[in-house]
């Protein structure tokens, strides 16, 4: 991942990846504090595709043990920001 991405830049990338796997999602309608699965029809296969997009786009590997940390948009952004190289 490029160093020094802001939380807003990370959020924009995450929303783009979510739209790639589930085009029916309205990013503006998502409540960032609620679990994504309660707000969308993302299933386990879609979630794995999402994790793959995170790796391909941001170069961040999310171990399976950390998948539960990616439940809300806010948690996803915080997790990815913590993985971002610091300069």
């Amino acid at each position: 991942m490029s160093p020094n991405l802001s939380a807003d830049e990370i959020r924009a990338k995450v929303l783009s990846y979510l739209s790639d796997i589930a085009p029916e999602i309205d990013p503006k309608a998502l409540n960032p504090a609620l679990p994504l699965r309660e707000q969308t029809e993302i299933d386990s296969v879609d979630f794995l595709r999402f994790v793959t997009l995170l790796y391909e786009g941001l170069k961040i590997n999310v171990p399976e043990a950390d998948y539960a940390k990616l439940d809300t948009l806010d948690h996803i952004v915080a997790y990815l920001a913590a993985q971002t190289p610091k300069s």
Side-chain angles (χ1 to χ4, degrees):
M1 174 183 235
S2 302
N4 301 322
L5 280 180
S6 71
D8 287 338
E9 291 168 320
I10 293 170
R11 184 177 305 269
K13 288 183 179 289
V14 166
L15 290 172
S16 173
Y17 300 149
L18 285 171
S19 293
D20 286 349
I21 62 165
E24 71 279 0
I25 292 174
D26 178 3
K28 294 178 182 144
L30 291 176
N31 181 328
L34 292 178
L36 287 175
R37 288 194 175 184
E38 289 181 10
Q39 302 178 76
T40 67
E41 294 183 19
I42 293 175
D43 62 18
S44 57
V45 172
D46 289 333
F47 181 77
L48 290 176
R49 288 177 43 217
F50 172 66
V51 172
T52 300
L53 287 172
L54 292 176
Y55 177 75
E56 291 173 353
L58 301 175
K59 306 301 182 225
I60 293 178
N61 184 36
V62 180
E64 190 174 345
D66 287 351
Y67 287 1
K69 296 177 183 179
L70 306 179
D71 60 341
T72 71
L73 182 58
D74 284 344
H75 290 160
I76 293 167
V77 172
Y79 179 89
L80 296 174
Q83 307 306 314
T84 304
K86 308 297 182 232
S87 59

